[in-house]
Amino acid sequence: MSNHTYKHIELTGSSEESIEAAIQSAITKASESLHGMRWFEVTDTRGHLEHGRVAHWQVTIKVGFTLD
């Protein structure tokens, strides 16, 4: 079994559709410049209201990735 060292960063994604889409938005954008992502943890969930309805979601996640 090999040993790994991980670094983690915090990201916030948003979506008008769902919490899951907000998470995917953050991960998709991060994958454009990061490689070796292995896990994520939801640390905060917020929503924006307009006219008494959810207008969009914001989800903050920690993303862990392996170091080269």
Side-chain angles (χ1 to χ4, degrees):
M1 183 172 144
S2 59
N3 295 321
H4 296 284
T5 299
Y6 296 93
K7 178 171 180 66
H8 60 87
I9 60 171
E10 189 172 82
L11 304 168
T12 300
S14 63
S15 170
E16 294 178 349
E17 299 170 22
S18 66
I19 292 170
E20 291 85 359
I23 293 167
Q24 190 60 57
S25 173
I27 291 171
T28 298
K29 187 64 176 175
S31 70
E32 293 175 9
S33 59
L34 293 174
H35 62 277
M37 290 188 292
R38 298 289 183 243
W39 55 265
F40 74 92
E41 171 188 355
V42 175
T43 59
D44 193 23
T45 306
R46 293 176 303 282
H48 174 74
L49 300 172
E50 289 182 8
H51 309 292
R53 300 189 60 119
V54 175
H56 74 272
W57 296 94
Q58 290 182 331
V59 180
T60 301
I61 59 175
K62 286 184 184 176
V63 175
F65 55 97
T66 54
L67 297 174
D68 293 336

